[in-house]
């Protein structure tokens, strides 16, 4: 999640655990601790792909943070000795651990069990920025700063409201999953890997991506749709023109192989399909180029500009959220360039044999 949300969560957790000792200093310390795990973004792993796949790694591990929290709490306690050690330990560890647990609710994924070789946890029920989750936490912290003698209670209420919204997001995700499973059953999409994720800033409108060997399908589903039929936009998935490299293997693992390949003007581009909308793609990487003889050669990975975000994008998303399915193709279509043939077409599952 974004830094504002993590700071608000950390402050609210600190306020709750501190009880009668809740104060502006405690809330500020909680906010600072709540953003601490994300300092791993300052580490340069050598290239943009490595930086991307290693984010939310060791600094988000449930095997690391409790020990780090214990050390920080002990140092804090030795310095001040105003609180019982158990309470300082509980506060610091709780703030640190809730950070990766919240991150795990997004589609990016979080390596909760680093260094074990297990997949990142990615529930994908929350967008990375969701005001409906964040605002109750911000309000509770703001009130706690003013109403100090009831600060812990107010923070607890804010956390309860935020938790209720988080639980509701999982419920909404399950409803969309059931809808997708029902509509793909008995079609060419049945059995193919798919992923469902919320669109920006809400848990009402969801984006679905289904991948095949040579193409992928993308659709939108709103909880407010009157017509429950999902209209799919199909795109060529492209192919990688070289032998798989360690960089590509890492990117495949990170994206769970929800990627597409494009040749653009002598450049080989790999895009993570889990992120972006329309032609705005924030996770696309240049991995190979053609030399003067026309041969493909790997290059130092470079993260490309995500593309223009049209002024109409957010209004269109809001329009689609309310159930206007006529704009699905406009929101899903991503322009193919270079050597790829644009075979975009809007299809209904009823048309799939």
């Amino acid at each position: 999640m974004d830094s504002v949300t993590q700071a608000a969560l950390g402050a609210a957790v600190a306020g709750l655990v501190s009880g009668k000792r809740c104060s502006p200093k405690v809330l500020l310390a909680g906010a600072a601790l709540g953003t601490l795990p994300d300092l791993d973004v300052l580490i340069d792993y050598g290239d943009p792909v490595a930086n991307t796949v290693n984010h939310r790694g060791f600094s988000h591990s449930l095997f690391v943070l409790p020990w780090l929290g214990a050390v920080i709490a002990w140092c804090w306690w030795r310095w001040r000795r105003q609180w019982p050690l158990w309470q300082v330990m509980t506060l610091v560890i709780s703030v640190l651990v809730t950070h990766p647990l919240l991150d795990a609710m997004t589609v990016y994924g979080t390596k909760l069990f680093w260094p074990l070789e297990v997949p990142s946890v990615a529930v994908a029920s929350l967008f990375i920025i969701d005001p409906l989750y964040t605002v109750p936490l911000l309000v509770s912290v703001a009130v706690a700063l003013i109403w100090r003698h009831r600060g812990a209670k107010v923070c607890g209420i804010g956390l309860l409201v935020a938790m209720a919204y988080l639980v509701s997001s999982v419920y909404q995700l399950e409803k969309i999953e059931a809808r997708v499973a029902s509509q793909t059953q008995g079609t060419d999409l049945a059995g193919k890997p798919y992923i469902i994720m919320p669109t920006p800033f809400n848990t009402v409108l969801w984006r679905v991506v289904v991948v095949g060997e040579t193409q992928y399908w993308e659709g939108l589903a709103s909880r407010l749709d009157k017509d429950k039929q999902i209209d799919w936009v199909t795109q060529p998935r492209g192919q990688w023109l070289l032998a798989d490299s360690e960089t590509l293997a890492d990117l495949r693992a990170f994206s769970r192989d929800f990627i597409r390949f494009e040749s653009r003007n002598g450049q080989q581009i790999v895009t993570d399909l889990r992120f972006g909308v329309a032609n705005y793609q924030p996770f696309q990487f240049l991995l190979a180029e053609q030399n003067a003889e026309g041969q493909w050669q790997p290059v130092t990975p470079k993260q490309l500009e995500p593309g223009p975000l049209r002024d109409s994008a957010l209004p269109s998303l809001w329009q689609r959220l309310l159930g206007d399915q006529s704009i699905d193709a406009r929101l899903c279509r991503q322009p193919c360039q270079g050597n790829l043939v644009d075979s975009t077409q809007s299809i209904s599952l009823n048309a799939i044999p």
Side-chain angles (χ1 to χ4, degrees):
M1 298 293 285
D2 64 284
S3 296
V4 172
T5 300
Q6 292 291 8
L9 176 62
V13 170
L16 176 64
V17 176
S18 64
K20 295 180 179 179
R21 293 182 172 88
C22 182
S23 68
K25 289 184 179 180
V26 169
L27 297 174
L28 181 60
L33 287 170
T35 60
L36 183 62
D38 278 342
L39 292 182
D40 67 332
V41 298
L42 301 178
I43 301 174
D44 186 0
Y45 290 94
D47 63 69
V49 171
N51 292 340
T52 297
V53 301
N54 285 294
H55 177 47
R56 296 189 184 177
F58 74 93
S59 68
H60 288 61
S61 173
L62 297 181
F63 294 132
V64 173
L65 289 178
W67 294 102
L68 175 63
V71 171
I72 294 174
W74 185 83
C75 293
W76 186 357
W77 177 76
R78 287 280 297 175
W79 177 44
R80 301 302 296 266
R81 288 185 181 271
Q82 295 178 338
W83 295 23
L85 179 59
W86 69 266
Q87 192 174 23
V88 179
M89 287 276 188
T90 302
L91 187 153
V92 176
I93 294 174
S94 296
V95 170
L96 290 178
V97 167
T98 51
H99 178 120
L101 291 178
L102 178 60
D103 276 347
M105 304 305 294
T106 68
V107 74
Y108 193 100
T110 308
K111 297 177 182 177
L112 293 180
F113 306 109
W114 182 95
L116 300 182
E117 293 295 330
V118 297
S120 297
V121 179
V123 178
S125 67
L126 285 180
F127 189 70
I128 193 171
I129 302 174
D130 194 323
L132 291 181
Y133 178 87
T134 307
V135 168
L137 297 175
L138 290 174
V139 170
S140 67
V141 172
V143 173
L145 287 170
I146 300 171
W147 201 7
R148 298 185 186 183
H149 66 288
R150 293 292 181 88
K153 182 177 180 180
V154 171
C155 287
I157 293 173
L159 287 168
L160 280 176
V161 174
M163 179 61 68
Y165 180 74
L166 190 151
V167 171
S168 75
S169 74
V170 176
Y171 173 77
Q172 305 300 336
L173 173 60
E174 290 179 348
K175 286 295 185 181
I176 298 297
E177 284 182 339
R179 181 171 161 186
V180 172
S182 173
Q183 294 190 26
T184 56
Q185 186 176 8
T187 73
D188 283 356
L189 301 192
K192 288 183 170 58
Y194 68 84
I195 189 168
I196 304 171
M197 63 227 90
T199 56
F201 319 129
N202 76 98
T203 58
V204 178
L205 179 62
W206 299 78
R207 180 170 166 260
V208 187
V209 177
V210 184
V211 295
E213 288 295 326
T214 60
Q215 58 187 355
Y216 67 94
W217 297 262
E218 185 174 352
L220 294 168
S222 172
R223 293 284 288 144
L224 301 180
D225 286 343
K226 294 180 180 179
D227 180 3
K228 301 303 180 182
Q229 185 68 39
I230 299 176
D231 291 327
W232 301 90
V233 172
T234 184
Q235 286 265 22
R237 196 177 176 199
Q239 61 180 342
W240 180 244
L241 303 176
L242 294 83
D244 276 14
S245 62
E246 183 178 349
T247 297
L248 181 59
D250 289 342
L251 194 53
R252 285 187 186 275
F254 168 72
S255 66
R256 305 191 180 193
D257 212 26
F258 284 89
I259 55 179
R260 78 170 180 206
F261 306 98
E262 294 178 74
S263 298
R264 303 180 189 170
N265 303 318
Q267 297 180 326
Q268 186 77 357
I269 312 299
V270 182
T271 301
D272 190 330
L273 294 172
R274 299 173 302 162
F275 304 99
V277 62
N279 63 336
Y280 183 83
Q281 300 295 311
F283 284 86
Q284 51 181 343
F285 302 92
L286 167 64
L287 297 188
E289 290 182 337
Q290 278 182 310
N291 60 22
E293 290 75 32
Q295 297 176 328
W296 288 98
Q297 294 181 335
V299 297
T300 301
K302 177 182 178 182
Q303 188 165 4
L304 303 182
E305 292 296 323
L309 182 62
R310 297 192 304 265
D311 293 339
S312 61
L314 290 181
S316 295
L317 281 172
W318 176 254
Q319 184 181 351
R320 180 61 188 86
L321 180 151
L322 296 176
D324 184 354
Q325 293 170 275
S326 66
I327 61 174
D328 281 16
R330 187 198 318 164
L331 288 173
C332 292
R333 182 174 294 121
Q334 299 161 5
C336 294
Q337 303 178 36
N339 298 334
L340 281 184
V341 178
D342 187 352
S343 62
T344 307
Q345 53 183 312
S346 182
I347 61 174
S348 167
L349 281 182
N350 291 333
I352 299 177

